[in-house]
Amino acid sequence: MASVATEWAVECRGVTKDFGQGEAKVQALRGVDLEVPDGEMTLLVGPSGCGKTTLISIIAGLLDPTAGEVSVLGAEYRRMSGRAKVAFRAANIGFVFQQYNLLPALSAAENAAVPLLIAGVPRREAVRRAAALLDELGLVGRGGSLPSQLSGGQQQRVAIARALVHEPRLLVCDEPTAALDAHSGRNIMELLRRIAVQPGRAVIVVTHDSRVFDFGDRIVHLSDGRVEDVEVTNHGETDA
Amino acid sequence: MSWIAWKMLTGDRSKYLGIIFGVAFASLLMAHQVSIFCGIMRRTTSQIADIHEANLWVMDPKVQYVEEAAPLHDTDLHRVRGVQGVDWAVRLYKGLVRARMPDGNFRQVVLLGLDDATLVGAPVTLVKGSLADLRRPDAVVLDEAGFQYMWPGEPFTLGKTIEMNDRRAVVVGICKAGAPFQSMPIMYTRYNQAVLFAPRERKLLTFVLARSEPGVPPAEVCTRIEEQTGLKALTKDGFTWETIKYYIRFTGIPFNFGITVTLGFIVGVAIAGQTFYLFTIENLRQFGALKAMGVSNLRIVGMVLLQAALVGIIGYAIGMGLAAAFFEVTKGSVALAGFYLPWQVMVMTAVAVMLIILLASLVSIRRVLVLEPAVVFRG
Ligand SMILES: Nc1ncnc2c1ncn2[C@@H]1O[C@H](COP(=O)(O)OP(=O)(O)OP(=O)(O)O)[C@@H](O)[C@H]1O
Ligand SMILES: [Mg+2]
């Protein structure tokens, strides 16, 4: 089918995902076809339980689909060994989680440096680069703070720094604003637009927060495990 | 990653200290109890250890351990001397004797009667007096702890007298001797003198001490002695172990220590293991995030093992330090003199700690291995 090389950063064809078996079987995804271009921010929206997290987990290579094909940055997960997938994630994907998931014992800069440490960059160098990125994200002078000493919005900015520090070609964010108040949420989205969205990088943001819809270049509406509608806002053009 | 593992561990101070406390406590308890057990077992054989010149002990076949006296015939000495491969053989009397103090009190003492001509088995170090004086009539040499026990608080003085079997004995020397099992005074005298101090019995030759000829394996000489005389002959090591085995089989000592050591181990597993498991569980989300960000299972396991090894090593070091300090502080007391922390016990404790840590981390490792990285996206 889709063996032709495409310009899409992410391409899903007929992706399904079942959880459980028999009576308890839940069809979280029922055949998702989706293209995500790079250089843009794609929002994945839809009601609770429609399969947003499941889809983004599959796109990020954290979950195997029950059926269908997923190609990310020109590579197909199906053809990768478990090890290769882990290495692929480390090199190419940045993660932002709803719960931040920062290591409480590491300072902000150290947390942001983790992907570089995973890649084997020496600690000093890694922390230095992470601290510079934190400055860029508006956390000047907070690199030495522990996560517990930062507000939710600040912690999420550290998480964004961590997701971007190794310059991944795909950034996946699951509900990055859900734990924040409206103001901090907008700040985070603005930051993602300004820093994360770049040529050569695709950004996927899962959200059910309609207040931030206007930040996306395209909005993919999921409903009951299927793509219902794709809305192109041309945000990129108007923004530029 | 090792650095992250280290930071994660020490970042949770209360758990970190809790795990270390558990490991330290367990290793202290185990090392301390096993050391004391070894010390007691060593004491049961101190009189074998103290006789350096002989490497063969010949005794009645019924004798099971060094405290048991089933005397031999005087002629047995000559039969042993006649066995090929025996360089020399001498008599040894060993028995418990009631000593009457000048004030009328009685004390039980271990009396050792040494061969008159050679004094084989005589103490090596005298802190007062001289061994030559043992040749004087009624002379005895007493060990330091024995002197303190019989004349508490008095400085070491020669010329003290006691009575054994209605005969006067004069202390002509004070020596160092390995502490015996029952903390009784040890009194050295000549064999011919000992038979006068000892209660009247038909036979008094407790042991024949012998040495094998150079170049002949002692075990082989033992076999020959047994074949030719019908007596029981053991090498010094053999007799030591036979004595220890006797105490292990026929006393409750090893059992009681075994219980304490087992408790130490269980407490170690319970405190250290549980806290470590809790620590892992609390960090499961962090491990999940690391997995999502591309840390392989192998490295995650490495992190958990490293954390376990760190608390294991630190806890073990503290435990050993405390155990060593205990024996350092108590080495002056009579009750615990000569007790120390043998390196074998340290190795054994290290193995036990490794086991505790392994058990503790095994459950934790299972949890992080089955952990789906996708959990990090779940609220
Ligand atoms: N590990 C799992 N085991 C069983 N069922 C699951 C699992 N993960 C998700 N599901 C089910 O799959 C469906 C889709 O879940 P998913 O988390 O992808 O929804 P979502 O769109 O992210 O919802 P929300 O907006 O609440 O986060 C739901 O019905 C959910 O109960
Ligand atoms: Mg979700």
Side-chain angles (χ1 to χ4, degrees):
Chain A
M1 304 203 312
S3 53
V4 209
T6 60
E7 68 275 31
W8 302 114
V10 177
E11 201 174 342
C12 299
R13 287 279 163 264
V15 170
T16 69
K17 179 70 186 177
D18 300 343
F19 289 109
Q21 282 167 347
E23 288 281 287
K25 185 158 119 177
V26 177
Q27 289 183 291
L29 298 179
R30 301 166 183 260
V32 170
D33 295 311
L34 175 71
E35 294 89 26
V36 176
D38 73 22
E40 288 188 9
M41 179 184 280
T42 302
L43 300 188
L44 223 48
V45 306
S48 183
C50 70
K52 303 183 294 290
T53 297
T54 305
L55 181 58
I56 207 177
S57 299
I58 288 173
I59 289 172
L62 300 178
L63 213 54
D64 292 327
T66 306
E69 293 178 44
V70 183
S71 115
V72 175
L73 308 172
E76 282 184 55
Y77 285 135
R78 229 178 18 163
R79 301 189 200 280
M80 286 187 211
S81 66
R83 242 168 210 265
K85 242 194 265 183
V86 170
F88 182 83
R89 283 205 303 270
N92 297 306
I93 305 181
F95 292 89
V96 176
F97 312 103
Q98 178 178 338
Q99 300 296 335
Y100 326 135
N101 285 327
L102 300 174
L103 289 162
L106 300 194
S107 71
E110 289 166 348
N111 261 296
V114 165
L116 295 176
L117 297 175
I118 293 173
V121 176
R123 198 166 82 226
R124 271 169 178 280
E125 165 72 6
V127 173
R128 194 189 58 73
R129 275 162 65 181
L133 186 53
L134 284 177
D135 287 352
E136 213 179 316
L137 288 168
L139 287 173
V140 182
R142 300 312 300 265
S145 308
L146 291 175
S148 56
Q149 298 164 332
L150 299 174
S151 72
Q154 288 172 323
Q155 288 187 58
Q156 195 59 300
R157 274 190 264 177
V158 175
I160 290 171
R162 181 177 66 180
L164 294 176
V165 74
H166 56 312
E167 294 175 355
R169 291 169 59 201
L170 174 63
L171 179 68
V172 296
C173 314
D174 193 13
E175 314 264 12
T177 62
L180 303 173
D181 60 70
H183 178 69
S184 308
R186 289 196 73 83
N187 276 342
I188 289 295
M189 291 305 286
E190 267 163 25
L191 216 54
L192 282 174
R193 268 235 71 91
R194 186 159 56 79
I195 313 254
V197 179
Q198 282 181 17
R201 176 183 297 143
V203 178
I204 305 177
V205 178
V206 166
T207 183
H208 58 232
D209 184 353
S210 55
R211 294 169 302 183
V212 302
F213 282 7
D214 51 321
F215 286 96
D217 296 301
R218 61 180 65 207
I219 303 175
V220 177
H221 292 269
L222 274 188
S223 174
D224 198 18
R226 286 197 189 85
V227 176
E228 201 173 49
D229 178 34
V230 179
E231 205 182 314
V232 180
T233 64
N234 289 326
H235 179 107
E237 274 98 280
T238 51
D239 200 39
Chain B
M1 287 296 105
S2 317
W3 175 76
I4 293 178
W6 165 248
K7 291 288 268 192
M8 274 171 89
L9 180 68
T10 51
D12 190 345
R13 188 140 306 210
S14 65
K15 288 218 181 48
Y16 173 60
L17 295 179
I19 304 165
I20 286 181
F21 170 80
V23 174
F25 180 76
S27 39
L28 168 64
L29 204 60
M30 288 189 285
H32 180 254
Q33 290 294 301
V34 175
S35 294
I36 290 194
F37 174 71
C38 292
I40 289 175
M41 286 300 117
R42 223 173 12 248
R43 281 188 172 193
T44 66
T45 62
S46 61
Q47 272 143 47
I48 306 175
D50 276 356
I51 294 181
H52 303 278
E53 305 96 315
N55 63 356
L56 306 175
W57 288 65
V58 185
M59 64 208 83
D60 186 279
K62 290 189 291 291
V63 172
Q64 303 179 82
Y65 70 115
V66 69
E67 300 299 330
E68 210 159 44
L72 307 167
H73 289 283
D74 285 339
T75 53
D76 287 334
L77 174 63
H78 303 290
R79 291 167 65 211
V80 172
R81 282 177 176 162
V83 174
Q84 219 196 344
V86 172
D87 196 359
W88 50 256
V90 296
R91 297 177 290 191
L92 177 73
Y93 169 82
K94 177 177 181 307
L96 291 183
V97 174
R98 238 158 52 115
R100 204 174 111 94
M101 307 288 296
D103 61 10
N105 278 328
F106 286 100
R107 292 275 184 275
Q108 282 270 47
V109 303
V110 176
L111 185 66
L112 293 171
L114 314 174
D115 178 57
D116 291 59
T118 60
L119 295 184
V120 164
V124 178
T125 319
L126 270 75
V127 294
K128 200 142 197 176
S130 99
L131 207 54
D133 289 337
L134 211 51
R135 303 203 177 275
R136 300 216 308 246
D138 305 327
V140 295
V141 168
L142 190 61
D143 77 308
E144 286 177 303
F147 188 96
Q148 284 162 2
Y149 175 68
M150 293 172 83
W151 292 282
E154 289 188 36
F156 292 154
T157 39
L158 302 180
K160 293 269 188 197
T161 60
I162 49 169
E163 261 180 35
M164 288 181 285
N165 198 24
D166 295 329
R167 282 193 71 99
R168 200 179 72 106
V170 187
V171 177
V172 301
I174 296 164
C175 68
K176 288 192 186 298
F181 181 49
Q182 288 171 303
S183 304
M184 279 189 278
I186 301 174
M187 204 171 264
Y188 295 89
T189 188
R190 282 170 293 110
Y191 187 89
N192 283 327
Q193 192 74 56
V195 297
L196 302 174
F197 291 144
R200 299 189 68 81
E201 271 190 75
R202 202 161 49 85
K203 300 184 288 182
L204 285 165
L205 177 55
T206 331
F207 293 105
V208 171
L209 301 176
R211 180 146 199 110
S212 56
E213 277 173 3
V216 188
E220 200 177 308
V221 182
C222 285
T223 318
R224 281 190 219 155
I225 294 173
E226 293 193 341
E227 279 168 6
Q228 290 181 33
T229 63
L231 300 172
K232 179 169 173 176
L234 293 169
T235 61
K236 187 174 172 178
D237 270 358
F239 196 30
T240 302
W241 281 112
E242 196 137 307
T243 297
I244 289 176
K245 277 185 209 150
Y246 174 86
Y247 279 93
I248 289 178
R249 274 181 44 206
F250 294 105
T251 69
I253 300 170
F255 184 72
N256 285 317
F257 278 93
I259 287 178
T260 318
V261 170
T262 312
L263 279 178
F265 186 82
I266 292 173
V267 167
V269 174
I271 299 184
Q274 251 205 117
T275 319
F276 188 74
Y277 181 64
L278 270 179
F279 167 75
T280 311
I281 295 304
E282 265 184 23
N283 283 293
L284 225 42
R285 270 196 97 75
Q286 328 300 341
F287 281 122
L290 289 173
K291 271 182 149 185
M293 287 188 279
V295 180
S296 66
N297 266 337
L298 200 68
R299 282 170 95 182
I300 296 275
V301 170
M303 287 175 77
V304 175
L305 281 180
L306 177 72
Q307 289 167 339
L310 282 170
V311 286
I313 290 168
I314 297 172
Y316 171 77
I318 293 175
M320 287 305 102
L322 290 176
F326 173 87
F327 290 117
E328 187 61 31
V329 168
T330 56
K331 75 177 175 193
S333 87
V334 175
L336 288 166
F339 282 26
Y340 64 97
L341 185 62
W343 66 265
Q344 291 93 334
V345 173
M346 294 176 68
V347 171
M348 184 220 80
T349 313
V351 171
V353 166
M354 258 158 69
L355 217 64
I356 291 176
I357 287 304
L358 219 62
L359 279 175
S361 44
L362 229 54
V363 213
S364 297
I365 285 172
R366 223 190 72 83
R367 285 300 297 262
V368 296
L369 276 184
V370 301
L371 177 70
E372 282 273 3
V375 297
V376 290
F377 278 147
R378 310 246 162 248

